[in-house]
Amino acid sequence: MKLSISRRAMVASGAALALGPGFLRSARAENGVSDTTIRIGQSAVLSGPAKDFGIDYRAGIKLYFDRVNKSGGVNGRKIELVTYDDAYDPAKTAANTAKLIDEDKVFALTGYVATGNLAAAMPLAEKAGVPMFAPLVGTSSFRTKVNRYLFHVRAGYDLELRKIISHLSTIGISSIAVVYQDSPFGKSNLATCQELAADYKVQVVKTLPLAITAEDAKQVATSLAEAKPGAVVMIMAGRMVEVFMRDYRANGVGSPLYTLSVGITDAAGSAKRLDGKLAGLVTASIVPPPTAQRVPIVADYQRDRAEFGEKIDSYTALEGYIVARVMTEGLRRAGKTLTRDSFIAGLESIGSTRFGDFPIEYSAKNHNGSTFVDLEMYTRDGQLRR
């Protein structure tokens, strides 16, 4: 007996319903996935005073994806990275994210940069059921509860600040001042810093905001000279760190300086522009030094840089490389029939493991990734020493 088109459709629909919703999902291709490609989306700062973050992060992510694609892809699919510049503007991040989801039909998102930008993107990602993997963000508010669609790789800023404050307490420094970026990133992590200082009985004698686009920090430097803290903790990112350090050093203030891992990205450039005044700055680091080829993940990164001709070489680029490697493992574990659900399950199945000796831990109850934090000190020429 022949069926009409409408009759055949009804029969097929009934059969699918009888087999359950899982059949419907598997029968329908996931957005961003074809027989040959997996499309991943990114919105990041590629212009303006914080551009080094986005440029270097993307370079590291793409470097590992290039390695994967040259080796045949993931379960036979090549990875395509679609990136838009948001210029550090959360409104642009939201617009880019909507475009990536609605027009580019990406499978997942990765490589976002900055607290406010992630806050602008997450509601869109959650509503569409699109995983957000490894934003360059360590703010605690994104980590205290498990979000099904959000996975981190880098350690949180709370762990960085704890490392700094505990170190200061250990070496006998009992008072600090905090200079913080006048943004959601700066304000939220200022609160974390104050809580940790109280835990370690370190007094916060001064808190001073600085605008992202600041070209002058003389007034802040003068206030610090008057407060005479035992150390200054900077919760800032990008070129504003240089602006502050230039005026702080020129004012002759002698308190040691500490910064989060996002404080300096272009170390060689910063050292040159500061004319040696970068020396002595202590930074938290959330990946090994990109020169430490004794660490297997770093050796792999440097090998691939040489093979693919990648000129960018920085802590942020190495972080991006690690991020792409972990993401690829989640895609591999998701299997040939790739869905967002299977990708999330694949990441959660990683458990506690090491990627080239870099530790990562995921489960259904933990999407925070790494807890690795170390302290290093800059030399005059922008090198780091432990």
Side-chain angles (χ1 to χ4, degrees), residues 80-103:
E80 176 188 352
L81 182 62
V82 181
T83 304
Y84 296 119
D85 180 17
D86 58 33
Y88 217 44
D89 180 351
K92 290 183 180 178
T93 305
N96 288 347
T97 303
K99 183 177 182 181
L100 287 164
I101 293 171
D102 298 333
E103 297 180 27

Side-chain angles (χ1 to χ4, degrees), residues 288-303 318 321 356:
T291 55
Q293 296 204 47
R294 66 185 182 278
V295 182
I297 192 87
V298 177
D300 291 346
Y301 160 76
Q302 292 294 358
R303 176 205 64 205
L318 174 59
Y321 183 87

